[in-house]
Amino acid sequence: MVLLFAPIIFGIVAYLAWRNREVRGCRWRADSTRDKGTLRMYRCAACGAEAFTASKGPPQTCKKGLGGAPL
Ligand SMILES: [Zn+2]
């Protein structure tokens, strides 16, 4: 009977891990070739979101939800 639920449990764990990765796994990479003046261009290697920052360092949050582009 355990084998019956194994795929379901695995699916839930995989889904949670995927969500976790999406939220916490944002890896911003600076792209100096696309800087606009004082704004620094950053691209998230995890979800592909792009953002500009005027402050030092990468964006604090993922901008994936703002783009409106579905996966
Ligand atoms: Zn991201």
Side-chain angles (χ1 to χ4, degrees), residues 22 26-28 44 46-49 62-64:
E22 187 177 348
C26 266
R27 294 191 298 274
W28 295 104
C44 176
C47 67
C62 184
K63 303 285 194 261
K64 178 173 176 284

Side-chain angles (χ1 to χ4, degrees), residues 56-71:
K56 203 172 186 179
Q60 297 298 312
T61 58
C62 184
K63 303 285 194 261
K64 178 173 176 284
L66 300 177
L71 286 173

Side-chain angles (χ1 to χ4, degrees), residues 27-66:
R27 294 191 298 274
W28 295 104
R29 302 277 174 78
D31 190 350
S32 59
T33 61
R34 295 175 67 184
D35 285 355
K36 290 186 178 180
T38 58
L39 295 177
R40 276 181 285 275
M41 162 74 190
Y42 279 89
R43 187 176 190 279
C44 176
C47 67
E50 296 180 348
F52 290 92
T53 59
S55 59
K56 203 172 186 179
Q60 297 298 312
T61 58
C62 184
K63 303 285 194 261
K64 178 173 176 284
L66 300 177

